[in-house]
Amino acid sequence: MKLDSKIPDGPLAEKWTNYKASQDLVNPANKRKIDIIVVGTGLAGAGAAASLGELGFNVKIFCIQDSPRRAHSIAAQGGINATKNYPNDGDSIYRLFYDTVKGGDYRAREANVYRLAEVSSNIIDQCVAQGVPFARDYGGLLDNRSFGGAQVSRTFYARGQTGQQLLLGAYGALSKEIHKGSVELFTRREMLDLVVIDGKARGIITRNLINGKLEKYFGHAVVIATGGYGNAFFLSTMAMTSNGSAAWQVYKKGAFFGNPNFTQIHPTCIPVHGDYQSKLTLMSESLRNDGRIWVPKNKEDAEKIQKGELKPGGIKEEDRDYYLERRYPAFGNLVPRDVASRAAKERCDAGYGVGSTGLAVYLDFADAIKRLGKNVIEARYGNLFQMYEKIVDENPYETPMMIYPAIHYTMGGIWVDYELQTTIPGLFAAGEANFSDHGANRLGASALMQGLSDGYFVLPYTLQNYLADQIQVARIPTDHPEFEKTEKEITERQEKLMAVKGSQSVDGIHKKLGRIMWEYVGMGRNQEGLEKAIGMIRELRAEFWKDVRIPGRIDELNIELDKAMRVADFLELGELMAKDALDRKESCGGHFREEYQTPEGEALRDDENFTFVSAWEYQGDDKEPILHKEPLIYENIEVKQRDYK
Amino acid sequence: MDLTLKIWRQENAQARGKFETYKVTGISEDASFLEMLDILNESMVDKVQLPIAFDHDCREGICGMCSLYINGRPHGPDQGITVCQMHMRNFKDGSTIVIEPWRAKPFPVIKDLMIDRSAFDLIIQAGGYVSVHTGGVPDANSIPIKKEHAELAMDAAACIGCGACVATCKNASAMLFVSAKVSQMALLPQGKIEAARRVQKMVAEMDDLGFGNCTNTYACEAECPKDIKISNIARMNWQFLIAKVGAQKMNA
Ligand SMILES: Cc1cc2nc3c(=O)[nH]c(=O)nc-3n(C[C@H](O)[C@H](O)[C@H](O)COP(=O)(O)OP(=O)(O)OC[C@H]3O[C@@H](n4cnc5c(N)ncnc54)[C@H](O)[C@@H]3O)c2cc1C
Ligand code: SF4
Ligand code: FES
């Protein structure tokens, strides 16, 4: 199968306009005859379902939680980018496009990123019209801040709860359509597989998480908006039920998986404190605007701190190493996430880390408090400081915060073309679940933008282009042999899991996987480690299928079985992540191969050989997947080495 | 820390539940409350017993999924946080902790500590939004909004839909939850246009679903993890009144 990204012809700035002008539409009378399945109620899913419902399609939407409002988008803190240029500081569509491609280390597709930048303004208009209470200035207009190292202020925010407010806006729009009857809502349902009939996506099978029953749903098209798969690492900033299963199951049905290894590690999270730990908490990146990051200059001091014999206050100014300011004088504490994360790991690995584990660095507000006053700092970060104190039991106004990088986002995902269609006709992927816009590294405040762009402004168009010739297709009854066959396969899989009756808990095995992933497929990767990881993951997978223990029955609410189904998929996905990382013999963005670095320890890209998207095609459980390469062509941007010095 | 836990077990919505007693030992003070329950659940899986079902997801106080009474208080003893944000250092070594699902008629128990809060979704569906479609909306800065109003709207919009307000109210009233949404929208010019319709529909839905009346005990405000203020209820009552008067005028 040949990869076709379906990028429209014409100059970059006109592609999307031209596409919309010439695409096929479905006439209003026919929309009623079409069913669309949307899996996921985050920004991407809720935005798409609401917009498609408004257009007159019949939509069914699914989520794992008890309410669509609890999708993980709710947890995003910092903000959302858009090219409004309200502050008059020189922003433009081109500049956001440029920053996103550069930030992604030149591994994203130009046309998609440009479209994202182009619709970003509409997103803000839409959200304000929905009643999203963005921050405002005293003149009553919208306030912006600079985020994650951007040189313009283009980030809109609602206190530290931007994701919550955007999601509640989308949830409102969705609720309106549910009330009207155009969208039907299914909560506490987990999609376990896709149904493909005559080569086209035609439905899904879900597990009803309350009673364990399998349910079959038909759709003329299916949208996967199930978020990211960072929980392959067990510990991450993702929610507990965030998973990679929907993406993985469609991969096994023929959708290609794009850049699976591209994972983002966020530099400012609360460090791990014990092996019972269930998840990691993000401290907003905005803290780096005022906080200074340091570790002791002398190893002896660091060791004393680790043993609890010395407090940070006891270290003199000249004995502190503000390593980001030292290494990157131009950007200092505001270097991009991947750079900041690696620098922290480098210091800790070298023995300069703080905290009892030595796996933490300080984020210090003393100077900012001195310069601006405690009030200002409190107004800016009060919530975050309070949250930190609740978790760590230390007061960040008085003693520096401790932070360490954590898994936060997956740039990789289901491969999609310009229309967000996967390699299975009729199957679309949106939001974090697809691979599309962030290349090898995502900029802060750009995921929310992408989710809403996909949901509100892209899918409502591109889906119609596909559906225009589907109006003749009558609804397929769910007793069709393909539905029955897929259902039977799931039943067998669940029975096989229950029959293992081994001795290890699902979480126990998940933690083991997480340790392998973090050690070998995390911040620093090398050939030997990746090869080792692949072997270890295979062994662990075998162990899982021989020794997992799941109490209870299939046909009842069974949280252990729910988790086991997800972990079974992570155990396969993790291997593909390692394989992809092994194959990409260069360093780019979040993918740092230790063999490929400059003498100063910076990431070294290999543009000649690796300017492509890796799209993996499944071949069967015991067969090696096939790697397809989608070349990335930069016609509107000069490819440069990223330099934050 | 060593603790004795009295936990509500209920097989399903129809079954009758009862308290069971469990012991956990060696719990770190730095563990979160839900991590303590994870540890207990792990030990139950070890014994091939069904672990305790409870709702949770983000574990950072924002999704609104977690919902437990701890020693009779929704979200436990600490003020202004959800269960998932609470750490074991809030409890004394050797103590007994009673853990129950939220008790309110409109929130039936599904299993053990899990409850069904879909009634909240139905209330929002009745009108808790601005009826705009995607596309074709004015520029975001075309209508300035007073900073004070935007801030008050944000205060109200911070509600996470957890239902602690209902759980703590002796009448199982949803007034704090509903008023938070009504207030947020009524404070913003975008939401004002359908304010009357919204408040009437949401209140009617709330009544239909069997939530009780508000008798001003203020318990909801005290237990709300997001500090949603009772003044929202006053604002909602005012909106309701205007809507009524408006409707009478139209009919006259
Ligand atoms: C702590 C944190 C802070 C962040 N801060 C920011 C920020 O400031 N700015 C920014 O731009 N981005 C931020 N991000 C990233 C951003 O929030 C996410 O990338 C984005 O919200 C993802 O949205 P989504 O719609 O793709 O998926 P999600 O919101 O993750 O939604 C996934 C949906 O899919 C459902 N689902 C999953 N699997 C299944 C299945 N098998 N069957 C049925 N349903 C399923 C879930 O129930 C859920 O409804 C942050 C992320 C985290 C974790
Ligand atoms: S008002 Fe408070 S207690 Fe009630 S649902 Fe909202 S956040 Fe929870
Ligand atoms: S688990 Fe999300 S608020 Fe507690």
Side-chain angles (χ1 to χ4, degrees), chain A residues 245-260:
Chain A
S245 289
W248 192 249
Q249 291 305 326
V250 302
Y251 164 73
K252 290 176 98 170
K253 280 274 153 83
F256 291 5
F257 210 112
N259 297 332

Side-chain angles (χ1 to χ4, degrees), chain A residues 22-206:
Chain A
S22 59
Q23 70 161 117
D24 290 336
L25 295 173
V26 180
N27 91 37
N30 285 331
K31 286 185 182 131
R32 262 177 279 133
K33 299 187 205 149
I34 300 258
D35 294 349
I36 301 172
I37 286 174
V38 178
V39 189
T41 61
L43 294 181
S51 308
L52 292 162
E54 287 163 3
L55 289 172
F57 293 103
N58 293 299
V59 183
K60 295 189 186 76
I61 192 165
F62 299 82
C63 66
I64 293 178
Q65 296 82 359
D66 69 337
S67 162
R69 66 179 292 154
R70 309 203 202 280
H72 194 50
S73 295
I74 202 91
Q77 304 171 349
I80 176 167
N81 287 330
T83 61
K84 283 287 191 188
N85 194 26
Y86 286 152
N88 197 28
D89 56 359
D91 201 10
S92 63
I93 293 174
Y94 186 84
R95 191 175 286 277
L96 176 55
F97 156 74
Y98 178 89
D99 288 353
T100 308
V101 173
K102 177 187 172 201
D105 223 357
Y106 306 94
R107 293 294 174 263
R109 197 188 283 151
E110 271 195 346
N112 284 56
V113 177
Y114 195 88
R115 174 178 63 193
L116 175 66
E118 196 176 336
V119 303
S120 64
S121 274
N122 303 8
I123 295 173
I124 304 303
D125 298 342
Q126 192 63 38
C127 296
V128 167
Q130 289 168 346
V132 170
F134 283 122
R136 289 179 180 266
D137 59 26
Y138 283 104
L141 301 180
L142 292 160
D143 192 25
N144 289 122
R145 63 180 169 207
S146 156
F147 200 72
Q151 282 160 319
V152 290
S153 287
R154 61 160 77 98
T155 304
F156 293 77
Y157 63 102
R159 290 201 192 137
Q161 291 119 280
T162 314
Q164 178 196 31
Q165 294 311 313
L166 297 177
L167 184 62
L168 292 182
Y171 164 71
L174 180 67
S175 298
K176 163 176 70 67
E177 292 305 305
I178 294 170
H179 194 60
K180 207 176 84 188
S182 63
V183 179
E184 203 181 339
L185 171 67
F186 299 87
T187 60
R188 296 201 196 259
R189 301 295 203 293
E190 187 152 349
M191 168 184 165
L192 295 184
D193 210 343
L194 178 77
V195 178
V196 179
I197 299 177
D198 297 331
K200 294 194 168 68
R202 290 300 189 200
I204 62 168
I205 300 197
T206 63

Side-chain angles (χ1 to χ4, degrees), chain A residues 63 117 165 237 315 330 370 450:
Chain A
C63 66
Q165 294 311 313
T237 63
I315 298 183
K370 225 180 277 160
Q450 185 223 332

Side-chain angles (χ1 to χ4, degrees), chain B residues 34 56-66 82-84 160:
Chain B
L34 298 187
H56 63 102
D57 200 23
C58 74
R59 296 208 174 184
E60 50 187 71
I62 192 73
C63 74
M65 190 99 184
C66 59
T82 52
V83 181
C84 62
I160 56 173

